[in-house]
Amino acid sequence: MRESAGRRLAYAVLFAALAGFIVAFWNPIDHLKADLRADGQGFKFSIELATHLFELGLKRL
């Protein structure tokens, strides 16, 4: 069976968005690394927030 091109496009967009959200919210290590890089470049970010996000990510695993 062949589905319409619009439906296939909608599924592709949906799955791409879901993958983006998973990477953005389930990868606390990258958030911690980004905060550390920003601190190294002279910007002041809270390491406590990064640690909290890291702990939340570990709880989800």
Side-chain angles (χ1 to χ4, degrees):
M1 293 182 171
R2 298 183 82 183
E3 295 185 21
S4 69
R7 181 173 272 183
R8 287 185 298 196
L9 178 62
Y11 281 128
V13 170
L14 174 69
F15 289 127
L18 287 174
F21 284 122
I22 289 171
V23 170
F25 294 110
W26 279 54
N27 200 350
I29 299 295
D30 283 344
H31 291 284
L32 181 63
K33 287 180 183 178
D35 284 347
L36 292 175
R37 279 193 301 268
D39 285 342
Q41 294 173 358
F43 297 104
K44 301 291 182 183
F45 285 94
S46 173
I47 195 68
E48 291 178 9
L49 176 62
T51 305
H52 178 69
L53 291 173
F54 180 70
E55 290 172 351
L56 286 177
L58 288 177
K59 286 180 184 177
R60 290 182 182 177
L61 295 176

